[in-house]
Amino acid sequence: MTIPVDLMYARSHEWIKIEGDSVSVGISHYAQDQLGEVVYVELPEVGTAFAVGDELGTLESVKAVSEFLAPVAGEVLEVNTRLEDEPNLVNDDPYGNGWLVKLSGSAEGGEFLDAAGYKEFLEQESA
Amino acid sequence: MKRRAIRSEPLFFERNSRRVRRQGYLLPVLDVPEVTPSEVLPPELIRKPDPHFPDISEMEVVQHFHRLSQLNYAVDEGLYPLGSCTMKYNPRINEEIARLPGFASLHPLQPQSQIQGALRLIWELEESLKAITGMPGATLQPAAGAHGELTGILMIRKALEARGEKREIVLVPDSAHGTNPATATFAGYRAQEIPSADDGTVDLGALDRMMDDTVAALMLTVPNTLGIFEHQILEIADLVHSRGGFIYMDGANLNSFVGRALPGLMGADAMHINLHKTFSTPHGGGGPGAGPVTVSEALLPHLPVPKVQRDDNGFELLWKDPASIGQMRGFYGNFLILVRALTYIWSLGAEGLRSMSDVAVLYANLVRHRLNGAYHLKFDAPSLHEVVFDDSIQTRHEVHNVDIAKRLLDYGFHPPTMSFPLIVHGALMIEPAESVAPDEIEAFCDAMLAIAEEAESDPGLVRSAPHDTPVGRVDEVRAARNLKVTWTPDDEG
């Protein structure tokens, strides 16, 4: 179960990476493993504004449909259009090519764990 | 005689090519002048490639569909333990009564004086369902359970509007059927999830925090999708009612308590009843569905029209009622399904219906008792007509719920419901229903125990199942990612 140290994690299993004024959002390795093979990704429209905790989009696997939430408040700057044809990127490369959305804004207002904190959180969850 | 094994049954289109041409039907001699398409149609509408209509005889058509039917599995073949679905036997007498010409040959526009028997049947079934649920009103119009949910929530919306209130939220437990949040959304509300407590029932503290004057209703399945009775149902109903909300009860699991408990006394304001579950009408392809709704005093004025009324002169359909939500289905719902349900209710009688539920609960607990330990039970509160195990013992050997389900096919059983409810990871949700013989339940448990054993001794065997079915493991991921539901001549060869 990989948990890169250069990312921050929400308790709802999204990761964020801050690059200037843009916040990249994806789901963790643990989350994609729990979901199983993703077969369809529904992404928000560029320009839509979200508050922390709003439903950003949905991930459909063979087992279930799950939503992913906005870990920070902001406007959608860009979505990962590759996922339309290659939803498996969420499973194969959750921290890289499987990113979901880029939002404007900063980490302010969101609650995040660092890699060590997230690892501990996962251990508590599965206990 | 040895039966030829059916390994695969090609499509008509696939058996078309490179064979002698045949015809299944001879058209009558043409008695009008023959024209070519180009004489009468614009060129862009004329198909150029060969449409590849199959050349097959009538007997080939019959054999094709007969073979397909033999590849199928059905309630008439053995245990069908799909949790939350109540796959029970469909008694033959239901079919016999539904085929009586006085029912089967009715025209929906026939004068009411000629359909008094049919109107009485509707009235009688409404009375029966009112008695079974302990609620004062009913409509039989909805065409399915989810349609019943919508009917119920629309009545609740109407009642709120009549009070001059506009609420926005419908609360739904995290163990609910997916139709509940879908219904709430469809009826113009926002669905909000309530977490379950440690025993799998509604977390009363969370409900207390969330239940305010923006909440229109709580949708609740009783017993819940874990088969566990909401033991705090009276507190839950009081809390919701005292803050101006309504209780919508999802009747999917009614088969567990007919004759033993009354939703009306539990505080339900509206409840749908899946006739194809509890009252033995066919599921799916066997016929259309029906999802009658019973209602409390508070929702009575808002029942859909037409309503069947009885007076000294007989029965009549009432079409006008200002407070009604209107009509939910053409004419009066799927009438012949109602005939089957009333036949079932009357042939079992009150005593029979009570033992129906008792046996359904007994069987589920037999399964629970025999499989507990071999399979993990996340919520071990006492359960009624279904039991939800998970695959956490088997995942130590990399065997998942889907593998167990596929292996059951090799043992000749339909698998249970999988991966639902969502609060149990790797769920295997088993509902035997009351209609099979106890030997069949024991044989199913033997198969499940054998598979648990195999998961340890030979996990590869389970992971690669099924081995003895005409079609092996289907690649569900590839099927979902590359959706293709049509055949084209390019697929040939």
Side-chain angles (χ1 to χ4, degrees), chain A residues 24-102:
Chain A
S24 302
V25 181
I27 62 164
S28 71
H29 188 277
Y30 171 83
Q32 68 77 24
D33 185 59
Q34 291 289 303
L35 266 178
E37 301 267 357
V38 175
V39 295
Y40 182 72
V41 183
E42 192 183 341
L43 296 164
E45 269 180 49
V46 173
T48 324
F50 291 92
V52 175
D54 282 355
E55 178 185 323
L56 265 183
T58 55
L59 295 161
E60 187 175 338
S61 75
V62 182
K63 282 191 247 174
V65 179
S66 308
E67 47 212 36
F68 58 97
L69 310 178
V72 300
E75 217 171 84
V76 178
L77 300 175
E78 199 184 335
V79 297
N80 187 356
T81 46
R82 276 185 74 185
L83 299 178
E84 281 169 24
D85 294 323
E86 301 171 86
N88 52 303
L89 291 174
V90 175
N91 298 110
D92 300 342
D93 191 9
Y95 299 115
N97 290 324
W99 66 276
L100 300 167
V101 176
K102 286 182 182 163

Side-chain angles (χ1 to χ4, degrees), chain B residues 125-138:
Chain B
L125 181 57
E126 283 183 2
E127 290 303 305
S128 296
L129 297 178
K130 281 150 67 174
I132 286 167
T133 57
M135 294 166 80

